[in-house]
C-alpha cells in the first residue's frame, strides 16, 4: 500500500470499498498510513445480502441469480461503493473466508475481487488454500493488486 498511496494522491484519485468476507480489513489496510484521508473516501462492510443491497446498491436479482459470492456481485459492489461515495475508483470483495459457509461449487477460500473506474473495470476469481485469517489477508492482497493495476 505504501507504494500505491503516493500515486493515488499525486493523481488526485479517490478510492471507496464495499467488502464482505474481509470484514473491514481492506479499509483498515487502506487507512493504515498517515495521509490516507487524501484518497480514501470510505467503505462499507456488507456482510449480509441486505447490506449489499442497502449500502452498495447491489440489485437483489444479481445476488439471487448469481449468488453473493460471484464475479457479478463483486463488480456490483465495486461500482456501488464508487457511486455511493463519489470516488474515482471502487473496490469490491466477496467470498467465503471459512471455516464454514462452503456450498457445492463454492468452497472455502473462494473469493472474488473487483475494481471499477472510468479507465479500468475487472473482476477476478481467486481460490485461496488458507484458514480464515489467511483467506481474508489474501483477499485484501488480491484487491490491492487490482487497485495497483487501476492506478497504473
Amino acid at each position: 500500500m505504501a507504494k500505491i498511496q503516493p500515486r493515488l494522491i499525486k493523481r488526485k484519485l479517490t478510492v471507496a470499498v464495499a467488502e464482505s468476507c474481509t470484514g473491514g480489513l481492506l479499509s483498515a489496510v487502506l487507512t493504515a498510513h498517515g495521509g490516507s484521508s487524501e484518497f480514501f473516501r470510505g467503505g462499507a462492510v456488507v456482510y449480509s445480502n441486505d447490506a449489499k443491497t442497502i449500502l452498495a446498491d447491489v440489485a437483489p436479482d444479481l445476488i439471487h441469480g448469481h449468488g453473493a459470492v460471484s464475479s457479478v456481485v463483486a463488480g456490483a459492489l465495486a461500482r456501488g461503493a464508487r457511486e455511493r461515495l463519489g470516488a474515482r475508483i471502487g473496490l469490491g470483495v466477496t467470498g467465503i473466508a471459512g471455516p464454514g459457509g462452503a456450498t457445492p461449487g463454492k468452497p472455502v477460500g473462494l473469493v472474488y475481487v473487483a475494481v471499477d473506474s472510468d479507465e479500468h473495470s475487472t473482476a477476478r476469481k481467486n481460490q485461496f488454500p488458507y484458514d480464515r485469517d489467511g483467506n481474508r489477508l489474501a483477499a485484501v492482497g488480491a484487491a490491492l493488486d487490482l487497485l495497483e493495476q487501476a492506478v497504473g
Side-chain angles (χ1 to χ4, degrees):
M1 187 59 223
K3 62 183 185 173
I4 302 171
Q5 183 172 339
R7 287 184 284 157
L8 289 165
I9 293 169
K10 182 179 179 181
R11 294 180 56 199
K12 297 184 182 343
L13 296 173
T14 52
V15 178
V17 305
E19 55 185 308
S20 182
C21 65
T22 47
L25 187 58
L26 178 57
S27 295
V29 168
L30 288 168
T31 59
H33 299 286
S36 59
S37 61
E38 292 187 52
F39 69 87
F40 188 66
R41 299 280 301 169
V45 177
V46 291
Y47 225 67
S48 71
N49 290 345
D50 287 342
K52 289 172 180 62
T53 297
I54 294 165
L55 298 174
D57 286 334
V58 178
D61 64 320
L62 290 180
I63 296 170
H64 296 300
H66 299 274
V69 179
S70 65
S71 62
V72 172
V73 169
L77 289 171
R79 278 186 301 283
R82 178 181 174 211
E83 291 171 4
R84 282 276 178 143
L85 292 166
R88 296 273 308 276
I89 301 170
L91 294 172
V93 182
T94 185
I96 304 166
T103 60
K106 294 192 179 181
V108 167
L110 177 63
V111 174
Y112 290 91
V113 295
V115 64
D116 183 71
S117 72
D118 286 344
E119 297 81 22
H120 187 86
S121 295
T122 190
R124 184 171 295 148
K125 178 181 179 179
N126 301 274
Q127 179 62 60
F128 301 119
Y130 310 114
D131 63 6
R132 181 177 183 80
D133 290 339
N135 288 333
R136 292 176 69 223
L137 285 170
V140 167
L144 292 176
D145 286 346
L146 285 185
L147 177 59
E148 173 101 30
Q149 291 173 15
V151 172

